[in-house]
Amino acid sequence: MTDPSGDLRVSLLSLGCPKNLVDSERVVGAFVDRGLVICPNPEDAEVVVVNTCGFLQAAKEEALDTIREMVALKETAGVRGVVATGCLAERDGVDIPAEVPGVDAVVPFEDYDRLLAICRAVSGRDEPEDPADYRSDLLTRGDRVPLTPPGSAYLKISEGCNNPCAFCTIPAIKGRQVSVPAADLVREATNLAMAGTKELVVIAQDTTYYGFDIDRKFGVGALLRDLGRIPGIEWVRLLYAYPAYVKDDLLEVMASEEHVLPYMDIPLQHIADGVLRRMKRPLGGGGTRRRMDRIREKVPGIVLRTTMIVGSPGETDSEFEELLRYVEDFRFERLGCFTYSAESDTPMGRMPGRVPSNVQEERRARIMEAQQRIAFADAAALVGSEVDCLVEDADGWGRTWRDAPEIDPAIRIQGAPGPGALGPVRVTATNDYDLEGEWIG
């Protein structure tokens, strides 16, 4: 029997995107601040919290499988309770107990203030917690326990999304966009820098809409400039830009500020007019092409990452071929491609004209084959050059400035110092997508 006066042992599993990871870091920080013991191994915990993703059907299935695995530990280890929270709890919370008998609690966003009290309750402890509003609590610049490699941290600048994309569940899960005040973000980033962070990876569901809900101005360019001038911050990287809101002031900051990287993740989803119209993406094919050309014009040498979706309802052979030609012609440095996932609670999920799964997979394979040739050529062009890199582990693996964490290629660095070091590396060889190099220091 666990001593109710002792420290509660909790393990937290974070699934899904970096935005979810930041939430997990804050939850762990709050737990540590209140005296809980965080267990990396769930088998050592009394309570396991699963911070779920519910964006796509595959993510939902992964989350449910993970919860089942944790429930099984109640029979084979010392786990006394399993708590599900995060996006799946918000999207389909009422279904989780039916899908996973034995889960002890499902905590939607509005009950995050009660998460510690719930963990204590399912473990046999019952200590009240002061209530707080979910939005103000998770967006408060409180202490975080980093769950990322040394030297790099995510900075979430807003919650929710206002865009009407017909395939996306996020607005229904997270609600409308709420931007964090710039002063709070600079304060948080300064604290991260003082703790050794050299790279800030700026994230939100739509980073380029940042600030518009506050003063009707797109403020991400000014924010990146301010973040890049914080002592100790060497790299500021922008993810999840929405094409319609990429304005010249943002591009000017990327082109001129020393510590703001000329790197942008800008998910286009498609290039054919008909597909973009069905997706409710506002620029259309022509406008998207012009916007991408403008980015390359205003920021010479920029590295661009995008994602594409193939096989959405109504996508014709000619629309797919148009997308394939654009991928081959524009030559994105980084690109991912996904087959369309029908989500019943989205407008596109209810559209007719489903594309067979075998056709979806064939189209995805052709896009990725084309991109592989582009990526291999891009990597080969770096051999013999010097490029700044961030070391991520004791074995010398790291990333160049051209690569975002987790999703982009890596570099194995001979003679690298410890994790968190940032400096020049001479690229000596390629290994498919990845690179080999020597630390210059």
Side-chain angles (χ1 to χ4, degrees):
M1 182 77 175
T2 300
D3 178 4
S5 64
D7 293 330
L8 177 64
R9 302 189 311 278
V10 178
S11 183
L12 188 144
L13 304 181
S14 189
L15 307 178
C17 69
K19 299 181 289 293
N20 223 31
L21 183 65
V22 172
D23 289 350
S24 295
E25 291 178 339
R26 293 217 172 93
V27 168
V28 172
F31 282 0
V32 170
D33 186 59
R34 289 162 175 81
L36 276 65
V37 176
I38 306 301
C39 301
N41 186 350
E43 294 184 359
D44 298 328
E46 297 168 70
V47 177
V48 179
V49 178
V50 183
N51 192 6
T52 62
C53 175
F55 180 46
L56 299 175
Q57 182 63 29
K60 175 180 176 179
E61 292 170 0
E62 179 191 16
L64 292 173
D65 286 344
T66 302
I67 298 169
R68 290 187 187 100
E69 292 173 8
M70 297 304 104
V71 167
L73 294 181
K74 290 166 45 171
E75 299 294 331
T76 62
V79 173
R80 300 166 62 86
V82 176
V83 178
T85 189
C87 289
L88 184 61
E90 185 72 16
R91 182 180 179 186
D92 292 313
V94 295
D95 295 330
I96 292 178
E99 295 273 3
V100 189
V103 68
D104 295 276
V106 177
V107 183
F109 295 142
E110 62 266 23
D111 289 337
Y112 262 38
D113 57 288
R114 298 180 53 239
L115 189 54
L116 177 53
I118 290 169
C119 288
R120 289 190 178 279
V122 302
S123 71
R125 305 166 187 253
D126 187 16
E127 294 189 13
E129 285 290 301
D130 293 333
D133 175 72
Y134 155 68
R135 282 293 174 113
S136 62
D137 184 55
L138 276 193
L139 296 181
T140 297
R141 307 301 96 199
D143 290 337
R144 293 159 49 184
V145 171
L147 302 175
T148 50
S152 180
Y154 293 105
L155 186 70
K156 185 162 66 168
I157 64 175
S158 67
E159 192 72 79
C161 185
N162 288 7
N163 297 316
C165 302
F167 55 86
C168 185
T169 60
I170 293 299
I173 296 172
K174 291 282 193 175
R176 293 185 64 78
Q177 179 150 331
V178 178
S179 298
V180 181
D184 290 347
L185 291 169
V186 170
R187 188 179 307 114
E188 181 181 8
T190 300
N191 291 338
L192 289 169
M194 292 175 64
T197 296
K198 296 180 175 68
E199 177 190 35
L200 291 174
V201 184
V202 176
I203 58 173
Q205 190 61 32
D206 174 5
T207 53
T208 43
Y209 196 83
Y210 173 78
F212 198 82
D213 56 302
I214 296 176
D215 58 10
R216 312 299 292 177
K217 295 179 182 177
F218 296 108
V220 72
L223 175 64
L224 296 186
R225 180 196 62 219
D226 293 344
L227 296 174
R229 294 179 181 181
I230 294 172
I233 297 299
E234 298 292 333
W235 294 351
V236 180
R237 185 184 307 277
L238 184 68
L239 302 190
Y240 313 135
Y242 190 72
Y245 305 140
V246 175
K247 306 298 183 182
D248 279 0
D249 67 311
L250 167 60
L251 301 179
E252 289 163 5
V253 167
M254 283 192 165
S256 63
E257 290 291 324
E258 178 183 3
H259 299 297
V260 178
L261 296 177
Y263 177 105
M264 184 185 298
D265 175 286
I266 181 167
L268 299 187
Q269 316 303 357
H270 216 280
I271 199 64
D273 270 323
V275 176
L276 292 173
R277 183 172 59 253
R278 291 189 290 274
M279 288 181 168
K280 295 188 178 179
R281 303 280 285 188
L283 288 181
T288 300
R289 292 170 191 268
R290 290 189 292 274
R291 186 60 47 90
M292 299 308 296
D293 291 343
R294 179 72 169 171
I295 292 171
R296 284 250 169 101
E297 173 193 343
K298 295 285 288 185
V299 191
I302 190 171
V303 172
L304 291 170
R305 158 169 279 281
T306 194
T307 51
M308 301 296 187
I309 297 174
V310 295
S312 60
E315 183 191 55
T316 64
D317 289 342
S318 62
E319 287 170 334
F320 168 74
E321 294 293 340
E322 182 180 355
L323 172 62
L324 178 59
R325 288 194 301 272
Y326 183 68
V327 168
E328 293 171 333
D329 293 343
F330 191 82
R331 302 184 68 82
F332 291 91
E333 287 79 9
R334 310 283 181 258
L335 182 145
C337 184
F338 302 90
T339 57
Y340 170 74
S341 174
E343 306 299 319
S344 60
D345 51 354
T346 64
M348 185 163 268
R350 298 184 291 271
M351 287 182 185
R354 295 292 175 86
V355 177
S357 59
N358 64 315
V359 176
Q360 288 184 322
E361 292 295 342
E362 179 187 0
R363 290 176 179 178
R364 178 187 179 276
R366 291 182 63 193
I367 293 287
M368 293 313 299
E369 287 170 4
Q371 180 60 28
Q372 184 183 73
R373 294 190 291 270
I374 295 166
F376 284 9
D378 179 77
L382 292 174
V383 174
S385 67
E386 295 180 8
V387 58
D388 284 344
C389 296
L390 177 65
V391 183
E392 293 192 299
D393 67 24
D395 294 327
W397 282 102
R399 290 178 288 110
T400 77
W401 70 263
R402 307 171 85 248
D403 298 296
E406 301 183 41
I407 53 175
D408 286 340
I411 181 169
R412 180 71 177 271
I413 307 167
Q414 297 298 321
L422 191 154
V425 171
R426 180 177 294 107
V427 180
T428 57
T430 66
N431 183 9
D432 294 337
Y433 292 97
D434 295 334
L435 301 172
E436 302 282 341
E438 298 173 346
W439 181 260
I440 297 172

